[in-house]
């Protein structure tokens, strides 16, 4: 078993042994799981300080995992670095290793490669100034309607949910029991429609975009081609790459673009949005919605 596989095995063991670890050891394990690249380059004192635990905590955790101590525990991570496994740009070697990993290795590698390629193609074609202009239109609007059907309905609702932690009057459409055009009945030039559809384009989304344009709304379109009716009708159009080895279009780039657009909205917004987000999450803590973790 090479260093890369051993380091993955250690991470899997940490998750399996989680409940048996003490609260302090869980803090150490969480740091390892979230920052595995740090393990191979950090001394026990350095990583303990980063995880906010005592060095002995890492030693005890390593021994509970069957290692003689931290240096023994760190060895496979150091070997993974030596082999270049943690170097993300070394993609060709990584994907080749995946393809050799079993019967589904080829499919796994194809999915990983497709997701990475889609992200690269999408962001390579984006312009930060265009995103900023779209974000300013969203922040200046009275209402924002985010439209997606099929798999994009979930993407629209995710965007609306995240936006609603700091902003009001965001609506994911179509609403239950409604149609997109009905949901836009009273929208006008003060409002924004974010519409998304990939081939084969959904007729109800195209119809809603046409209605939005007739009513003077600002339209932000996400689609898979500059020739898409969604992009052609939009005031701000963004092309996302959606290729996949599977029969369904990939949502990876769509979600990434929506998250980036929302981050731009927050960046151009007034300072009150930061206070709103803080108050939103403080309220959740007070209501016990979040599980409090030991410090």
């Amino acid at each position: 078993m090479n260093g890369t596989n051993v380091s993955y095995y250690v991470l899997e063991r940490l998750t399996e042994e989680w409940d048996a670890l003490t609260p302090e050891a869980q803090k150490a394990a969480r740091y390892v799981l979230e920052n595995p690249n740090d393990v191979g380059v950090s001394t026990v004192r350095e990583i303990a300080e980063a995880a906010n635990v005592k060095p002995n905590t890492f030693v005890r955790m390593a021994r509970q995992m069957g290692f003689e101590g931290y240096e023994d525990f760190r060895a496979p991570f150091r070997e993974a670095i030596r082999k270049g496994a943690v170097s993300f740009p070394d993609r060709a070697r990584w994907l080749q290793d995946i393809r050799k990993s079993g019967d589904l290795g080829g499919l796994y590698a194809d999915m990983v490669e497709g997701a990475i390629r889609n992200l690269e193609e999408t962001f390579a074609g984006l312009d930060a100034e265009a995103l900023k202009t779209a974000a300013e239109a969203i922040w200046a609007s009275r209402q924002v309607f985010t439209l997606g059907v099929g798999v994009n309905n979930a993407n629209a609702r995710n965007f609306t949910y995240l936006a609603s932690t700091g902003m009001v009057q965001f609506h994911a459409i179509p609403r239950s029991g409604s149609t997109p055009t009905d949901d836009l009945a009273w929208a006008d030039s003060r409002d924004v429609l974010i519409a998304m559809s990939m081939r084969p384009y959904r007729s109800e989304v195209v119809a809603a975009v046409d209605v939005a344009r007739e009513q003077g709304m600002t339209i932000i379109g996400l689609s898979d081609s500059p020739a898409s009716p969604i992009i052609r009708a939009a005031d701000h159009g963004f092309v996302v790459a959606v290729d996949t080895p599977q029969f369904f279009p990939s949502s990876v780039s769509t979600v990434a673009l929506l998250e980036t657009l929302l981050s731009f909205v927050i960046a151009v917004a007034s300072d009150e949005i930061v206070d709103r987000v803080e108050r939103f999450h403080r309220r959740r803590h007070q209501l016990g919605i979040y599980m409090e973790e030991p410090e």
Side-chain angles (χ1 to χ4, degrees):
M1 186 179 294
N2 63 34
T4 304
N5 290 335
V6 173
S7 61
Y8 286 147
Y9 168 76
V10 174
L11 297 176
E12 290 178 359
R13 279 288 311 280
L14 277 175
T15 60
E16 292 170 359
E17 297 288 337
W18 183 270
D19 291 336
L21 298 174
T22 65
E24 283 296 290
Q26 286 179 352
K27 289 174 65 175
R30 177 180 288 108
Y31 188 86
V32 172
L33 290 168
E34 294 176 353
N35 305 276
N37 292 353
D38 289 357
V39 179
V41 296
S42 302
T43 66
V44 67
R45 290 189 179 277
E46 290 170 339
I47 199 167
E49 182 177 353
N52 196 28
V53 298
K54 296 179 179 179
N56 282 343
T57 300
F58 269 94
V59 175
R60 288 194 296 269
M61 181 194 71
R63 288 174 178 168
Q64 184 169 345
M65 296 290 297
F67 295 94
E68 293 183 5
Y70 178 73
E71 288 303 315
D72 193 27
F73 173 83
R74 186 172 71 150
F77 294 91
R78 291 173 63 87
E79 179 67 9
I81 292 174
R82 190 186 68 78
K83 290 180 175 294
V86 299
S87 175
F88 188 70
D90 191 12
R91 188 178 309 145
R93 184 189 305 171
W94 178 48
L95 290 172
Q96 287 174 358
D97 288 344
I98 291 175
R99 286 192 171 91
K100 299 172 184 175
S101 64
D103 292 341
L104 293 178
L107 174 60
Y108 184 31
D110 288 344
M111 293 299 294
V112 171
E113 191 170 21
I116 295 171
R117 184 175 59 250
N118 285 340
L119 287 171
E120 288 180 339
E121 290 182 4
T122 297
F123 283 95
L126 289 180
D127 178 71
E129 191 61 33
L131 277 170
K132 179 175 179 286
T133 303
E136 290 172 338
I138 290 173
W139 178 245
S141 68
R142 176 185 64 164
Q143 299 181 97
V144 177
F145 299 85
T146 309
L147 167 60
V149 296
V151 68
N152 282 315
N153 185 253
N155 297 331
R157 294 187 181 281
N158 179 63
F159 176 84
T160 301
Y161 168 76
L162 292 174
S164 297
T165 62
M167 291 170 277
V168 296
Q169 298 304 322
F170 271 70
H171 314 282
I173 60 174
R175 296 184 176 97
S176 177
S178 185
T179 67
T181 50
D182 285 345
D183 292 330
L184 297 177
W186 311 116
D188 57 32
S189 60
R190 296 169 292 178
D191 305 317
V192 167
L193 171 66
I194 302 174
M196 60 193 89
S197 184
M198 319 306 168
R199 280 173 289 196
Y201 305 118
R202 294 291 293 259
S203 57
E204 60 263 60
V205 176
V206 176
V209 168
D210 290 340
V211 167
R213 177 155 293 286
E214 291 172 4
Q215 295 174 192
M217 296 180 69
T218 298
I219 301 169
I220 298 173
L222 278 67
S223 194
D224 59 349
S225 168
S228 162
I230 309 300
I231 299 292
R232 288 188 284 108
D235 299 286
H236 311 280
F238 300 100
V239 177
V240 293
V242 298
D243 290 342
T244 173
Q246 291 300 310
F247 58 87
F248 48 81
S250 171
S251 288
V252 171
S253 294
T254 301
V255 172
L257 176 55
L258 288 171
E259 290 180 355
T260 305
L261 178 60
L262 183 56
S263 73
F264 271 58
V265 175
I266 295 171
V268 303
S270 60
D271 292 341
E272 68 176 306
I273 193 171
V274 177
D275 180 59
R276 284 181 182 176
V277 172
E278 288 179 349
R279 283 189 286 125
F280 181 91
H281 287 288
R282 188 184 312 121
R283 179 175 178 271
R284 286 190 157 194
H285 280 289
Q286 292 169 345
L287 294 174
I289 294 174
Y290 292 137
M291 185 182 75
E292 301 295 339
E293 297 180 356
E295 295 184 358

